[in-house]
Structures are given as C-alpha cells and as structure tokens.
Amino acid sequence: MSSSAAQQNLVLGVDSGGSGVRVALASADGGGPAPAGAPWIRASPEPAVTGARGIDARSLLDRVLPAARELLRAAEAERCGAVCVGASGMSTLGDDLRAVLPGALREALGMRRLALASDAVTAYAGALGQRPGAVVAAGTGIVALGTDLSPEGGWRRADGWGHLLGDCGSGAWIGRAGLEAALRAHDGRAGGSAALLERLEAVFGSAAGLPGKLYPRADRPAVLASFAPEVARCAAADEVSAGILRSAARHIAEAAAAVCPRVPEHPATEPAVYEVALTGGLFGIGEPLLAPVRRELQEQLPGARLTTAAGGPLDGALCVAAALLTDTLLLPADGSLLHVVC
C-alpha cells in the first residue's frame, strides 16, 4: 500500500467524558499502525469544559488535536481517513461540537469522514460492534441503548437522566442508598446499617459532617459513586447492603429490558436471541452486583443472552470510524445519538 493510501486507511477515535479525553489511532482494516494491530492511545486527564452552550468545542479540540498530531507523527502520517468523536452529553449538550468540530477537524487532520456520537453509542459499538442487541453502560451514571439495526427501529434508549432524575442502579445511586442507610443507623431509624455507618466514618469522617463535605462539591455524583464499592464490600455480611445491590440489579435489568429489541416470532423451534452486554466501571465491583444482575436479566429477559463486552467506548469510536471509512456502517444514524457529518 502506498504511503498516501496508508494514511487514508487510518482512523481516529475520541472518547470524551467526565474523567478526561482519550484519543486512539488505528487502521480501518484492523491491521493498525502499532504492533500486533493494537491502536495507539493518548489521554488527557482534563475533561472538556461544559458551559452555557453545552460542551465547549474549543476546549475539546485543545485536548484532541495535540494528541492526534502526536499519534499521526508516530505513524509517519499527516492525515487520517475518518474520525469518530464519542462524547458524554453529545445528544443534549453537543450544539457547539456539531457546529465547530467538522470544519476544525477537517482542516487539522485532513479527514474525509466524520461521525459525532453519544458516548452511549460508542459504548454500544465497543461492546457489541455492529450486532443487534442491548448494552447497559454503568459507572457514576447509567444508560442503556439497544437496536435491531433496522432503519425503522432506530435506537432505543433508557435512563441516563442524571443522579437527580434517574441513573437508577448506577454507582451514584448505590452510593447514595448506602450513605442513606448509614445515616439511618446514625440516627437510630429503621432500615439503617451499622456496617455502612462504620464505612462512612472510615471514608468521610464523622457522619454529622458528611452534608458539609458533600453538598458544596460540584462533583457530587462522583463522590456518591465512590461509596458504591463500600456497599459491595459489606454485602456478604450485611443484609441492608445486599438489599441495595439487589435493588440496583433490578433497575439495571429494567433498563436493559426497556431497550432490548423485541424478539420476533421465529419459524424454527428456537426463538431468535439477542445479546445483552454490560460495560463500564460499576461492574468492576464484581459478584456482589453481577450475581443479582444475572438473576434479574434471566427473569426479565429470558429471550436474551448475556455476553461479555468486547471493548469500551474508545474501541467503539474506532469501530464507527472504520465503518464510516469502509462504507459498512450498520448502526442507526439518527442525527442525535449518532450524527454522520460527512
């Protein structure tokens, strides 16, 4: 392959979220410019700024472009063929991104194709690729996304409404429930957990001082979510903690059931089966949560198969970019969750 053709075969993926921005470069055919076909990755711990106009495009570009240029230099290339930017809040806070990124990225990187996606879409693509099914992405918050890949079906989305209005079963939800149970024990009210009160005091100090430490924080959801692993650690010996995780598992399964494609009548003896994948940092707390999630999924979605997520949102951004470049995109492009610009 000529040098020019090789450059046009390169794709760039961007994953922008609350914990920072990651950028990866790979080959559209899976070969990759790095050894063993793995993408080259650069990361910035500083997230893009969110202001009155939503996500600030210039602040995102300040993080993406230096990393992209460094990756292209490492690949001995000046430009790439396609880019997919996956960002938390793209569908609701992405007006500035949609206005600024196409021209800026085309000028800086020489790309021919661009997709702007919600991080829920890149999480889906990273977990399942371009297969029909449902993905629950859970960390501090939670969102579920599903599709049958049909043009009329589009995307089905559930939750992702933030810690005040939803995100039921998320890290912030579990952490808040655990802290509430601890404070109930502190007060002597019913439903309290002495075990969780002990963990609250070990992590945050006195229970009486918790509101003063929590409420002024701009990152309250993350602070709440930081207590979710403590709930999981207590669950084996503390029924209140175990009950919180069972309730979280029910919410997670409900979100998956709301978005999973409806299993059609099948002429064969076996019904069609759709895959459900779980992805995100919350599931890293392990079996105390995963075991009840599996039980709830079996109860609520008997026609679905739980599968291991193949990768994360950055892998999904590369998947979408490669599909754009090779004209093989099957995921629904709807202008909101997945906006194909060119």
Side-chain angles (χ1 to χ4, degrees):
M1 182 181 294
S2 70
S3 174
S4 176
Q7 292 184 43
Q8 290 302 310
N9 194 47
L10 295 176
V11 294
L12 193 80
V14 177
D15 175 38
S16 172
S19 59
V21 178
R22 296 186 300 152
V23 182
L25 185 72
S27 173
D29 60 14
W40 282 344
I41 299 173
R42 297 293 182 269
S44 166
E46 295 295 324
V49 175
T50 300
R53 296 188 61 194
I55 304 168
D56 182 76
R58 292 300 171 187
S59 74
L60 181 60
L61 288 169
D62 286 344
R63 291 150 179 77
V64 169
L65 292 183
R69 292 183 179 118
E70 181 182 346
L71 290 168
L72 287 170
R73 283 195 299 270
E76 299 181 347
E78 297 178 353
R79 57 189 180 274
C80 59
V83 177
C84 174
V85 178
S88 173
M90 177 71 78
S91 59
T92 55
L93 300 171
D95 287 347
D96 197 39
L97 299 184
R98 287 185 283 270
V100 174
L101 291 189
L105 291 174
R106 186 180 296 111
E107 179 181 355
L109 304 179
M111 56 85 189
R112 294 185 289 116
R113 307 293 301 275
L114 171 66
L116 304 178
S118 162
D119 62 338
V121 169
T122 52
Y124 184 102
L128 290 182
Q130 298 201 84
R131 304 194 301 275
V135 171
V136 180
T140 297
I142 190 170
V143 64
L145 205 64
T147 181
D148 61 5
L149 299 185
S150 69
E152 60 277 3
W155 292 105
R156 299 171 65 92
R157 178 181 181 273
D159 215 335
W161 300 121
H163 74 291
L164 292 178
L165 299 175
D167 283 353
C168 300
S170 68
W173 186 96
I174 292 171
R176 183 197 177 282
L179 291 170
E180 180 186 350
L183 292 173
R184 284 180 171 274
H186 174 268
D187 294 345
R189 290 179 287 152
S193 165
L196 289 174
L197 176 58
E198 181 180 343
R199 296 311 306 151
L200 181 160
E201 292 173 337
V203 174
F204 295 107
S206 73
L210 179 61
K213 293 181 177 179
L214 177 63
Y215 291 143
R217 297 279 294 264
D219 59 345
R220 285 186 298 274
V223 176
L224 293 171
S226 71
F227 198 68
E230 303 296 338
V231 178
R233 292 186 187 102
C234 292
D238 179 52
E239 178 54 31
V240 172
S241 299
I244 290 170
L245 295 184
R246 287 195 298 270
S247 295
R250 184 174 67 253
H251 288 305
I252 290 167
E254 286 170 351
V259 303
C260 194
R262 301 296 180 251
V263 178
E265 294 294 331
H266 202 269
T269 56
E270 293 295 327
V273 174
Y274 288 121
E275 293 175 290
V276 176
L278 308 176
T279 187
L282 178 64
F283 298 112
I285 65 179
E287 282 301 301
L289 178 62
L290 288 172
V293 166
R294 286 193 292 266
R295 289 193 294 269
E296 285 288 342
L297 286 172
Q298 187 174 24
E299 177 74 20
Q300 297 189 39
L301 280 172
R305 180 174 67 246
L306 184 62
T307 188
T308 301
L314 189 59
D315 302 293
L318 289 172
C319 171
V320 171
L324 275 181
L325 191 60
T326 56
D327 291 319
T328 57
L329 185 66
L330 302 177
L331 299 175
D334 63 356
S336 176
L337 290 171
L338 177 57
H339 178 44
V340 176
V341 179
C342 54

Short mmCIF file of all heavy atoms in Angstrom, two decimals, residues 153-178:
data_model
loop_
_atom_site.label_atom_id
_atom_site.label_comp_id
_atom_site.label_asym_id
_atom_site.label_seq_id
_atom_site.Cartn_x
_atom_site.Cartn_y
_atom_site.Cartn_z
N GLY A 153 -36.41 0.81 13.11
CA GLY A 153 -36.27 0.56 14.54
C GLY A 153 -35.45 1.62 15.25
O GLY A 153 -35.77 2.06 16.35
N GLY A 154 -34.36 2.07 14.62
CA GLY A 154 -33.51 3.09 15.22
C GLY A 154 -32.93 2.63 16.55
O GLY A 154 -32.71 1.45 16.80
N TRP A 155 -32.67 3.61 17.41
CA TRP A 155 -32.14 3.34 18.74
C TRP A 155 -33.25 3.38 19.77
O TRP A 155 -34.18 4.18 19.68
CB TRP A 155 -31.11 4.40 19.13
CG TRP A 155 -29.84 4.38 18.36
CD1 TRP A 155 -29.45 5.25 17.38
CD2 TRP A 155 -28.76 3.44 18.49
NE1 TRP A 155 -28.21 4.92 16.90
CE2 TRP A 155 -27.76 3.82 17.57
CE3 TRP A 155 -28.55 2.32 19.31
CZ2 TRP A 155 -26.56 3.12 17.43
CZ3 TRP A 155 -27.36 1.63 19.17
CH2 TRP A 155 -26.39 2.02 18.25
N ARG A 156 -33.15 2.52 20.76
CA ARG A 156 -33.99 2.59 21.96
C ARG A 156 -33.08 2.95 23.13
O ARG A 156 -32.06 2.29 23.33
CB ARG A 156 -34.70 1.26 22.22
CG ARG A 156 -35.63 0.81 21.10
CD ARG A 156 -36.13 -0.60 21.33
NE ARG A 156 -36.96 -0.68 22.53
CZ ARG A 156 -38.29 -0.54 22.52
NH1 ARG A 156 -38.93 -0.30 21.39
NH2 ARG A 156 -38.97 -0.66 23.64
N ARG A 157 -33.45 3.99 23.88
CA ARG A 157 -32.60 4.48 24.96
C ARG A 157 -33.40 4.53 26.25
O ARG A 157 -34.58 4.87 26.26
CB ARG A 157 -32.10 5.89 24.63
CG ARG A 157 -31.23 6.56 25.70
CD ARG A 157 -30.85 7.96 25.23
NE ARG A 157 -30.01 8.67 26.19
CZ ARG A 157 -30.45 9.38 27.20
NH1 ARG A 157 -31.75 9.50 27.41
NH2 ARG A 157 -29.61 10.00 28.01
N ALA A 158 -32.75 4.17 27.35
CA ALA A 158 -33.40 4.23 28.67
C ALA A 158 -32.43 4.80 29.69
O ALA A 158 -31.25 4.48 29.70
CB ALA A 158 -33.87 2.84 29.10
N ASP A 159 -32.98 5.63 30.56
CA ASP A 159 -32.27 6.30 31.65
C ASP A 159 -31.15 7.18 31.11
O ASP A 159 -31.28 7.70 30.01
CB ASP A 159 -31.80 5.30 32.71
CG ASP A 159 -31.87 5.91 34.12
OD1 ASP A 159 -31.80 7.15 34.26
OD2 ASP A 159 -32.00 5.15 35.08
N GLY A 160 -30.12 7.39 31.89
CA GLY A 160 -29.15 8.42 31.54
C GLY A 160 -29.63 9.81 31.89
O GLY A 160 -29.15 10.80 31.32
N TRP A 161 -30.55 9.92 32.85
CA TRP A 161 -31.16 11.21 33.19
C TRP A 161 -30.43 11.95 34.30
O TRP A 161 -30.88 13.00 34.75
CB TRP A 161 -32.62 11.00 33.60
CG TRP A 161 -33.46 10.37 32.53
CD1 TRP A 161 -34.15 9.20 32.62
CD2 TRP A 161 -33.70 10.87 31.20
NE1 TRP A 161 -34.80 8.93 31.44
CE2 TRP A 161 -34.54 9.94 30.55
CE3 TRP A 161 -33.28 12.00 30.51
CZ2 TRP A 161 -34.97 10.11 29.24
CZ3 TRP A 161 -33.70 12.17 29.19
CH2 TRP A 161 -34.54 11.23 28.58
N GLY A 162 -29.30 11.44 34.75
CA GLY A 162 -28.56 12.12 35.80
C GLY A 162 -28.99 11.69 37.18
O GLY A 162 -30.05 11.09 37.37
N HIS A 163 -28.17 12.01 38.17
CA HIS A 163 -28.38 11.44 39.50
C HIS A 163 -29.58 12.04 40.22
O HIS A 163 -30.09 11.44 41.18
CB HIS A 163 -27.12 11.63 40.36
CG HIS A 163 -26.90 13.02 40.85
ND1 HIS A 163 -26.55 14.06 40.01
CD2 HIS A 163 -26.95 13.57 42.10
CE1 HIS A 163 -26.42 15.17 40.70
NE2 HIS A 163 -26.66 14.90 41.97
N LEU A 164 -30.09 13.19 39.78
CA LEU A 164 -31.26 13.77 40.43
C LEU A 164 -32.57 13.22 39.88
O LEU A 164 -33.56 13.13 40.60
CB LEU A 164 -31.25 15.30 40.29
CG LEU A 164 -30.15 16.06 41.03
CD1 LEU A 164 -30.25 17.54 40.75
CD2 LEU A 164 -30.24 15.78 42.53
N LEU A 165 -32.57 12.86 38.60
CA LEU A 165 -33.81 12.43 37.95
C LEU A 165 -33.83 10.95 37.59
O LEU A 165 -34.89 10.43 37.23
CB LEU A 165 -34.03 13.26 36.67
CG LEU A 165 -34.18 14.76 36.86
CD1 LEU A 165 -34.27 15.46 35.51
CD2 LEU A 165 -35.41 15.07 37.70
N GLY A 166 -32.71 10.29 37.68
CA GLY A 166 -32.66 8.88 37.26
C GLY A 166 -31.34 8.25 37.60
O GLY A 166 -30.89 8.30 38.73
N ASP A 167 -30.69 7.66 36.57
CA ASP A 167 -29.45 6.89 36.75
C ASP A 167 -29.67 5.80 37.80
O ASP A 167 -28.79 5.53 38.65
CB ASP A 167 -28.29 7.80 37.14
CG ASP A 167 -27.73 8.56 35.94
OD1 ASP A 167 -28.17 8.27 34.80
OD2 ASP A 167 -26.88 9.43 36.12
N CYS A 168 -30.82 5.16 37.74
CA CYS A 168 -31.20 4.17 38.75
C CYS A 168 -30.33 2.91 38.63
O CYS A 168 -30.22 2.33 37.56
CB CYS A 168 -32.67 3.80 38.60
SG CYS A 168 -33.78 5.21 38.79
N GLY A 169 -29.75 2.52 39.74
CA GLY A 169 -28.87 1.36 39.75
C GLY A 169 -27.42 1.70 39.49
O GLY A 169 -26.56 0.82 39.50
N SER A 170 -27.12 2.97 39.25
CA SER A 170 -25.75 3.40 38.92
C SER A 170 -24.87 3.44 40.17
O SER A 170 -25.33 3.21 41.30
CB SER A 170 -25.80 4.79 38.30
OG SER A 170 -26.22 5.75 39.28
N GLY A 171 -23.60 3.80 39.95
CA GLY A 171 -22.71 3.96 41.09
C GLY A 171 -23.17 5.04 42.04
O GLY A 171 -23.14 4.87 43.26
N ALA A 172 -23.63 6.18 41.48
CA ALA A 172 -24.13 7.26 42.34
C ALA A 172 -25.38 6.82 43.09
O ALA A 172 -25.56 7.16 44.27
CB ALA A 172 -24.42 8.51 41.50
N TRP A 173 -26.24 6.05 42.44
CA TRP A 173 -27.49 5.57 43.07
C TRP A 173 -27.14 4.61 44.22
O TRP A 173 -27.69 4.72 45.32
CB TRP A 173 -28.34 4.88 42.03
CG TRP A 173 -29.70 4.46 42.48
CD1 TRP A 173 -30.87 5.15 42.32
CD2 TRP A 173 -30.05 3.25 43.17
NE1 TRP A 173 -31.91 4.45 42.87
CE2 TRP A 173 -31.45 3.28 43.40
CE3 TRP A 173 -29.33 2.14 43.61
CZ2 TRP A 173 -32.12 2.25 44.04
CZ3 TRP A 173 -29.98 1.12 44.26
CH2 TRP A 173 -31.36 1.18 44.47
N ILE A 174 -26.24 3.68 43.98
CA ILE A 174 -25.84 2.72 45.02
C ILE A 174 -25.16 3.45 46.17
O ILE A 174 -25.45 3.19 47.35
CB ILE A 174 -24.91 1.65 44.44
CG1 ILE A 174 -25.67 0.76 43.45
CG2 ILE A 174 -24.29 0.80 45.55
CD1 ILE A 174 -24.77 -0.19 42.66
N GLY A 175 -24.25 4.37 45.84
CA GLY A 175 -23.55 5.09 46.88
C GLY A 175 -24.48 5.92 47.73
O GLY A 175 -24.36 5.95 48.97
N ARG A 176 -25.44 6.59 47.10
CA ARG A 176 -26.38 7.41 47.86
C ARG A 176 -27.23 6.53 48.78
O ARG A 176 -27.46 6.86 49.95
CB ARG A 176 -27.30 8.19 46.93
CG ARG A 176 -28.25 9.11 47.67
CD ARG A 176 -29.42 9.57 46.79
NE ARG A 176 -30.33 10.40 47.56
CZ ARG A 176 -31.22 9.93 48.43
NH1 ARG A 176 -31.32 8.61 48.65
NH2 ARG A 176 -32.02 10.75 49.09
N ALA A 177 -27.70 5.38 48.24
CA ALA A 177 -28.51 4.47 49.06
C ALA A 177 -27.70 3.95 50.24
O ALA A 177 -28.23 3.81 51.36
CB ALA A 177 -29.02 3.32 48.21
N GLY A 178 -26.42 3.66 50.01
CA GLY A 178 -25.57 3.19 51.10
C GLY A 178 -25.35 4.24 52.16
O GLY A 178 -25.39 3.95 53.36
#
